[in-house]
Amino acid sequence: MRAVSANLLALLFLGALASVFYIWSALETRLERHKRRFSVPGGGSFHQGLPVDLSAKTFRVLLAVPPAQRPHLGGRLEAHNLTDQTVSAGNRDYHVNGDNKRSAQRGGPVKLGSPVEDGIFWSEWLEDLLPVGFTEEYARTWRERARTRRVVKLEPGCGRISNQLATFADGTKACVRYGINADQVQGETLTYYLASLLGITNLPPLILSQLSGDSEQWAAVKTRIDGLQWSDRAVVSLTEWVSNLTGVITPAPLRQESSGLHPVLEELWNKTTAELLELMQWTDLIIFDYLTANFDRLVSNLFSLQWDSRVMERDTNNLLRTPRGDLVFIDNEAGLVHGFRVLNMWEKYHSTVLSSVCLFRKRTTQRVAELHRRRDSRKRLLELYRDSEPLSLELGFLSDEHAGVLQDRIDRLYKHILHCKGKYSQL
């Protein structure tokens, strides 16, 4: 009788374990993000046949859970590492501007002079070597064409499963972001236009589109849309799909064991021109993510250090590199709207990242200084957004509170730049 009882208890225990495993597996399936895929020579894959690293944990599950279900950050968050990126073909190579002479100059050692000028700014000769990623003219042309192209296929491939990789009738592709809620589509869109105000051209062009059963653009994929349970008349964002990209590891000066990125010449002289150009783009990225309170990139790595000491040695979330070394800032859904809403959770990490940098692009800081002086960031962002996007009224804009947060962050960034100038201008 005792043996029977013991066996019964063992069966009950195993059944309970199986139930927990089933529930957890279902949750993970729901939260799993289908990662952007990279094309490699010969059609191979960086990760084909490799086991997924299950040892690392990530905060990024927060983005995939509706607000009411999100845990407080004080608790220990358990989830598989979702930062690994898998492989897939895209529609074209990265659009760049610049001649072969510039490309050759980027690869060698520093020969043209000091990498720093006026104390805290990257030298003008370095800025001149950095071609514009997505020019204003190119982006405008892409947006005009994308608004009239018919979508003929939707499939996974652009982040979480609520997003889709769209193929247009002409064979080009775009990432469609439906979002867990409108905040994410709005954040992605307004972040794109804020980048335009700042003169940051690392973001692929973007448009908005409204789902509709009688829309010619979406008619060919209506069955797929119904299967995804996307709401009729919902506004989604489409960003250009860019192929031939690879992951980016946080550079040594910006890792936790480093003192930061400062205008210290003896450290910068040891860098190649290509390394300096990448660091220049990182300084733009840090300014940009601070202003938008985007926690889904470097800040997430900093947060994850508490349980994963090697997170900085892996690819950075939502950041890719072209074969030329130009950085592409993707998946900006956490910026502005959602980032501002959860700002209290992340502000100490944002401040830590910003304080680690005292070296900036002069052209970017001039835009920041102007927005600080005129204190019209809300007005200028709204005008650019409405002038450029026909569906701006449908999607909406920042609340007055969030517009105030943006201006406050511009003012704080400006003060940080002044602090750096005061500290290093005499060197």
Side-chain angles (χ1 to χ4, degrees):
M1 184 67 181
R2 189 175 299 172
V4 172
S5 298
N7 289 336
L8 181 59
L9 287 173
L11 287 172
L12 289 173
F13 179 72
L14 289 173
L17 284 179
S19 299
V20 170
F21 178 79
Y22 175 81
I23 294 171
W24 177 245
S25 298
L27 179 62
E28 283 194 320
T29 299
R30 182 182 176 188
L31 300 181
E32 183 179 359
R33 302 183 66 165
H34 296 267
K35 303 308 297 174
R36 179 179 294 265
R37 300 160 68 89
F38 306 135
S39 59
V40 296
S45 162
F46 288 132
H47 298 294
Q48 281 180 344
L50 296 179
V52 177
D53 177 10
L54 301 182
S55 62
K57 303 175 180 65
T58 177
F59 84 102
R60 303 187 72 222
V61 67
L62 288 171
L63 277 177
V65 181
Q69 300 177 24
R70 291 189 186 122
H72 294 292
L73 288 178
R76 187 172 177 84
L77 184 62
E78 301 288 334
H80 290 318
N81 176 25
L82 303 180
T83 62
D84 289 337
Q85 311 214 25
T86 55
V87 180
S88 158
N91 64 312
R92 65 169 186 84
D93 289 338
Y94 177 67
H95 175 78
V96 294
N97 299 271
D99 52 30
N100 293 332
K101 181 179 178 181
R102 281 183 173 181
S103 298
Q105 289 175 330
R106 290 167 63 130
V110 176
K111 296 179 180 179
L112 300 180
S114 172
V116 178
E117 64 183 35
D118 297 336
I120 62 169
F121 300 115
W122 294 106
S123 292
E124 186 174 353
W125 68 265
L126 267 174
E127 292 225 23
D128 288 342
L129 285 179
L130 188 66
V132 178
F134 300 92
T135 67
E136 182 178 346
E137 180 182 358
Y138 176 84
R140 182 171 57 252
T141 300
W142 185 90
R143 292 198 303 265
E144 290 172 355
R145 292 175 178 172
R147 289 193 176 101
T148 60
R149 289 171 177 161
R150 291 186 303 109
V151 177
V152 296
K153 185 179 181 181
L154 289 174
E155 59 186 323
C158 290
R160 70 177 60 87
I161 57 177
S162 61
N163 302 331
Q164 294 283 291
L165 177 63
T167 301
F168 292 113
D170 64 358
T172 60
K173 298 177 186 291
C175 281
V176 183
R177 289 181 173 82
Y178 177 80
I180 300 299
N181 53 50
D183 283 2
Q184 293 170 335
V185 177
Q186 194 179 72
E188 175 89 17
T189 304
L190 295 179
T191 294
Y192 173 75
Y193 285 107
L194 180 62
S196 296
L197 278 185
L198 295 170
I200 294 175
T201 61
N202 300 76
L203 285 70
L206 173 149
I207 64 163
L208 295 177
S209 181
Q210 191 165 36
L211 302 175
S212 174
D214 55 3
S215 166
E216 183 179 350
Q217 183 167 40
W218 299 100
V221 291
K222 184 180 184 306
T223 301
R224 174 66 174 164
I225 289 175
D226 292 342
L228 291 167
Q229 297 183 339
W230 286 359
S231 300
D232 189 44
R233 311 294 299 174
V235 176
V236 298
S237 67
L238 288 81
T239 55
E240 183 181 19
W241 171 267
V242 184
S243 67
N244 203 21
L245 303 178
T246 54
V248 182
I249 297 174
T250 304
L254 296 175
R255 296 187 191 180
Q256 71 275 21
E257 68 274 9
S258 171
S259 60
L261 182 56
H262 306 287
V264 181
L265 288 178
E266 54 264 32
E267 296 177 3
L268 297 175
W269 278 117
N270 294 325
K271 306 290 184 185
T272 66
T273 302
E275 289 172 332
L276 292 175
L277 289 170
E278 180 169 325
L279 287 174
M280 182 193 298
Q281 294 174 84
W282 271 93
T283 59
D284 262 1
L285 177 64
I286 287 171
I287 282 178
F288 186 56
D289 280 357
Y290 178 79
L291 291 180
T292 61
N294 188 340
F295 54 86
D296 199 13
R297 224 167 343 239
L298 187 57
V299 163
S300 69
N301 283 354
L302 193 62
F303 174 78
S304 298
L305 283 172
Q306 59 189 303
W307 55 66
D308 182 3
S309 62
R310 303 186 64 182
V311 66
M312 295 283 190
E313 300 173 25
R314 287 187 279 276
D315 290 348
T316 304
N317 298 333
N318 300 328
L319 184 65
L320 301 173
R321 182 193 288 111
T322 74
R324 293 169 55 96
D326 304 319
L327 302 184
V328 184
F329 310 166
I330 64 166
D331 297 356
N332 297 289
E333 298 163 302
L336 291 177
V337 186
H338 186 57
F340 287 174
R341 183 161 289 132
V342 297
L343 190 56
N344 289 339
M345 301 179 184
W346 299 100
E347 182 61 2
K348 67 177 181 179
Y349 299 102
H350 289 301
S351 298
T352 297
V353 172
L354 180 63
S355 64
S356 70
V357 173
C358 263
L359 191 53
F360 313 98
R361 289 185 70 191
K362 183 176 290 187
R363 299 171 195 180
T364 307
T365 56
Q366 287 171 342
R367 301 286 184 102
V368 172
E370 184 180 5
L371 290 170
H372 164 76
R373 178 177 57 83
R374 295 175 57 171
R375 302 192 61 78
D376 62 349
S377 59
R378 181 191 188 280
K379 177 175 179 291
R380 294 181 65 186
L381 180 59
L382 179 58
E383 287 177 352
L384 177 62
Y385 173 47
R386 286 186 173 174
D387 289 346
S388 307
E389 180 47 65
L391 287 173
S392 58
L393 292 177
E394 291 287 340
L395 186 63
F397 187 64
L398 295 175
S399 66
D400 290 343
E401 177 186 359
H402 286 169
V405 172
L406 173 60
Q407 186 63 54
D408 179 66
R409 296 184 81 74
I410 291 170
D411 297 341
R412 289 176 183 231
L413 173 58
Y414 178 75
K415 291 178 182 178
H416 174 68
I417 295 170
L418 289 184
H419 166 76
C420 291
K421 192 169 182 63
K423 184 176 181 179
Y424 291 103
S425 61
Q426 302 304 317
L427 295 181

